[in-house]
Amino acid sequence: MESTGIWLVIGILTISTLVGMWMLFEKANRKGWEALIPVYNMIVVLKITGRPLWWIILLLIPVINLIVALGLIVDFAKSYGKTSFPEHAGAVLLSFVIFPYWGFDRNTIYRGQSATEEFHIKYPYRKSAAREWGDAIIFAVVAATLIRSFLLEAYTIPTGSMEKSLLIGDFLFVSKVNYGARIPMTPIAFPFAHHTMPLIGTKAYWDGLVLKYRRLPALEEIERNDVVVFNYPMEADAPFNRPVDKRENYIKRCIAIGGDTLRIINAQVYVNGKKGVNPKFAQKYNTVVSDGTDFNPQKLTDMNIDAQRRSDVDYLFNMTKGQALEIKAWANVKEVKPYIQSASMYDTEIFPKDPAFKWNVDNFGPIIIPKKGWTVKLDSTNIPLYKRAIEVYEGNKVEVINHNQISINGQPANSYTFKMNYYWMMGDNRDNSLDSRFWGFVPEDHIVGKALFVWMSWNTNGTFLSKIRWDRLFMGIK
């Protein structure tokens, strides 16, 4: 019902806008009905304003069309003698009110093609310095917002969950285009603030209007081993209760996609029964046994290895396989072996946090990742795995009665067909990553974009020019 009401309002506003355009077209000696034909009505607007007809191509290109349309609306208003900022803002934001008002207003007449030199000579108009700056700032904000929403957005790596593939202080660009730009679900928000206003700490968005999840066409599907930015699913819960697109941004590697069967055995990921690809710079804690000689702390710092001493000869080093091989060759090292939790160890913090699944970070599964259209047979043994996805992410009420009777939306259920694709995300720093092993699946509506390349890398521990990690500038992300 709520969705129907929203579409009814949108329909009324669209009709009102078209009525206004009909009347304004007639004032420009055009046929009023031309306003009702999609695409053709924009060709007529180009003729009314004097813009070249090839601009229609720009109006067909996603994102660019939004920027061009804003300028075209302003030109359209100028063609009827509307030159003030409030008039232009009204035409852009309230066209469903302003266009009919101008259409009925006898004093509003068509003056000519506002984008032509002849028009500027006939109707000279000079903006004040304040107006010039104001228009420039507004255009910059609108353009930047559209670019961030639909093309590219800059992110920084705040934690070490992806080290050493990505380092704390890496600044990277994330493409919204590759997986299809997500239409803003919470459209009324403060520009450039994600979920919280700087300084004052209040919400940077209004959740009174939350739109249905939709995406623009994608260039590619998410593939295993892609590095993906997504919204943290657990912020659907208290105390945050944030809308999907306002949940915190996380970056991890996609280990498995919808339909895959995932298992972790002794820290090795298996997908569909085959060994998963181990990232080149993936890290794991290793037990290192020395001959009693201390390690050079500066050498470990230079290698960016987190070292923990457990006894006089026993250490834990968090490092890549390559580093493990290097350290194993040191003269004072007697043994290096991965630190792996045994399959018998039960970690209560691991998904699905149910004693029926006694899993840990190194031994987990098997588990099937839900896929859109997949029907899962539900029973008391697997409902802990899929209850959150069915209830929280897909908006159903799930009840388990007497431990074996499952009810969905008040009706007995022994199966469920998923409406979205889901993904399994893990950090490359496997022992220092809060990821799907702790909170489960990532729904497709939480996907933000694909990490492309590092454009800047800042080392806070460096000095002067060494603060910049020069070797990482414009480094592609794999």
Side-chain angles (χ1 to χ4, degrees):
M1 291 296 292
E2 182 179 349
S3 176
T4 302
I6 292 175
W7 282 110
L8 179 61
V9 171
I10 292 174
I12 293 173
L13 298 183
T14 300
I15 292 172
S16 178
T17 302
L18 293 175
V19 168
M21 289 181 66
W22 180 305
M23 301 179 72
L24 290 172
F25 275 24
E26 289 185 337
K27 288 188 176 188
N29 293 320
R30 301 292 309 191
K31 302 294 184 182
W33 55 263
E34 293 176 322
L36 306 181
I37 303 175
V39 182
Y40 179 68
N41 56 8
M42 289 296 98
I43 293 175
V44 174
V45 170
L46 291 173
K47 292 181 176 180
I48 288 175
T49 60
R51 292 295 181 185
L53 293 183
W54 62 262
W55 272 35
I56 196 65
I57 298 174
L58 300 179
L59 291 170
L60 299 176
I61 302 174
V63 182
I64 293 177
N65 58 1
L66 297 176
I67 298 173
V68 172
L70 291 177
L72 198 55
I73 291 172
V74 171
D75 287 340
F76 189 63
K78 289 178 181 178
S79 291
Y80 294 87
K82 312 301 180 182
T83 57
S84 70
F85 176 76
E87 288 171 327
H88 292 171
V92 170
L93 301 174
L94 300 170
S95 57
F96 51 87
V97 173
I98 296 299
F99 284 0
Y101 174 74
W102 289 344
F104 283 106
D105 179 22
R106 293 183 178 180
N107 294 322
T108 298
I109 60 173
Y110 176 65
R111 293 189 174 187
Q113 296 177 317
S114 62
T116 62
E117 185 64 29
E118 293 81 1
F119 185 89
H120 291 293
I121 294 173
K122 186 175 182 180
Y123 301 102
Y125 170 70
R126 181 175 178 82
K127 296 181 183 178
S128 65
R131 174 70 184 280
E132 290 280 4
W133 276 102
D135 286 354
I137 292 171
I138 290 171
F139 177 81
V141 169
V142 171
T145 300
L146 292 173
I147 291 170
R148 289 177 71 244
S149 298
F150 298 102
L151 292 179
L152 286 173
E153 186 167 3
Y155 288 86
T156 184
I157 301 296
T159 70
S161 69
M162 284 295 290
E163 290 196 349
K164 297 190 173 59
S165 301
L166 295 172
L167 305 180
I168 295 175
D170 278 351
F171 294 82
L172 49 96
F173 276 123
V174 173
S175 167
K176 306 294 183 70
V177 176
N178 287 60
Y179 303 142
R182 184 176 58 185
I183 306 300
M185 303 165 76
T186 316
I188 303 178
F190 191 83
F192 310 124
H194 182 43
H195 52 62
T196 303
M197 290 291 290
L199 301 179
I200 58 177
T202 59
K203 289 196 302 186
Y205 59 91
W206 181 57
D207 52 11
L209 175 62
V210 178
L211 303 180
K212 186 178 178 180
Y213 162 64
R214 289 182 177 82
R215 281 188 187 278
L216 296 179
L219 297 180
E220 61 178 312
E221 298 293 328
I222 297 178
E223 297 181 353
R224 301 178 195 91
N225 300 306
D226 282 357
V227 178
V228 180
V229 173
F230 57 93
N231 299 116
Y232 179 41
M234 299 306 288
E235 288 193 357
D237 304 342
F240 298 106
N241 300 311
R242 287 173 176 152
V244 171
D245 58 340
K246 296 305 177 184
R247 294 168 193 167
E248 193 62 63
N249 291 319
Y250 272 34
I251 183 167
K252 308 287 181 187
R253 191 177 297 277
C254 179
I255 302 300
I257 62 176
D260 285 345
T261 297
L262 175 131
R263 190 172 187 182
I264 305 173
I265 302 175
N266 294 331
Q268 173 63 55
V269 172
Y270 290 82
V271 179
N272 301 325
K274 299 179 181 179
K275 278 189 177 182
V277 176
N278 295 314
K280 180 179 180 181
F281 297 109
Q283 292 194 114
K284 184 84 180 75
Y285 273 115
N286 284 255
T287 300
V288 179
V289 179
S290 77
D291 61 5
T293 307
D294 287 340
F295 292 102
N296 182 343
Q298 186 58 50
K299 178 63 174 178
L300 296 177
T301 298
D302 291 343
M303 295 178 70
N304 193 21
I305 291 177
D306 173 29
Q308 302 175 25
R309 188 169 190 166
R310 300 197 297 180
S311 71
D312 289 342
V313 297
D314 189 18
Y315 298 78
L316 273 182
F317 285 7
N318 191 29
M319 54 189 175
T320 66
K321 281 189 175 181
Q323 290 175 326
L325 290 173
E326 180 181 345
I327 288 174
K328 192 173 184 178
W330 289 359
N332 63 334
V333 172
K334 298 176 66 176
E335 183 183 38
V336 175
K337 64 179 181 179
Y339 176 77
I340 297 175
Q341 298 184 28
S342 76
S344 62
M345 293 180 63
Y346 170 42
D347 188 339
T348 58
E349 294 300 311
I350 293 299
F351 179 82
K353 303 180 182 180
D354 187 290
F357 300 88
K358 298 184 183 300
W359 298 337
N360 58 55
V361 292
D362 294 324
N363 286 279
F364 184 98
I367 186 171
I368 299 175
I369 315 303
K371 181 179 182 179
K372 183 178 181 180
W374 176 53
T375 300
V376 60
K377 298 294 183 183
L378 295 175
D379 54 40
S380 59
T381 63
N382 67 0
I383 190 63
L385 299 175
Y386 302 111
K387 182 175 184 292
R388 180 175 179 83
I390 297 170
E391 185 169 50
V392 177
Y393 306 143
E394 303 212 351
N396 302 284
K397 183 179 180 181
V398 180
E399 295 178 288
V400 180
I401 305 166
N402 297 327
H403 303 289
N404 55 18
Q405 175 86 39
I406 298 170
S407 169
I408 299 179
N409 298 325
Q411 299 296 320
N414 57 17
S415 67
Y416 179 79
T417 301
F418 287 94
K419 300 179 179 66
M420 288 191 290
N421 290 312
Y422 290 79
Y423 305 92
W424 192 264
M425 306 290 187
M426 289 171 57
D428 288 359
N429 190 355
R430 292 292 164 83
D431 291 337
N432 288 302
S433 175
L434 180 66
D435 54 35
S436 285
R437 292 170 294 178
F438 293 85
W439 33 257
F441 315 114
V442 175
E444 68 175 52
D445 64 351
H446 283 58
I447 300 299
V448 175
K450 181 177 184 177
L452 294 182
F453 62 90
V454 175
W455 62 272
M456 169 61 77
S457 186
W458 186 259
N459 182 4
T460 56
N461 296 321
T463 57
F464 195 47
L465 291 179
S466 66
K467 280 188 173 293
I468 298 177
R469 302 185 183 106
W470 298 96
D471 60 326
R472 297 185 66 80
L473 301 191
F474 300 102
M475 179 193 75
I477 297 172
K478 298 180 180 179

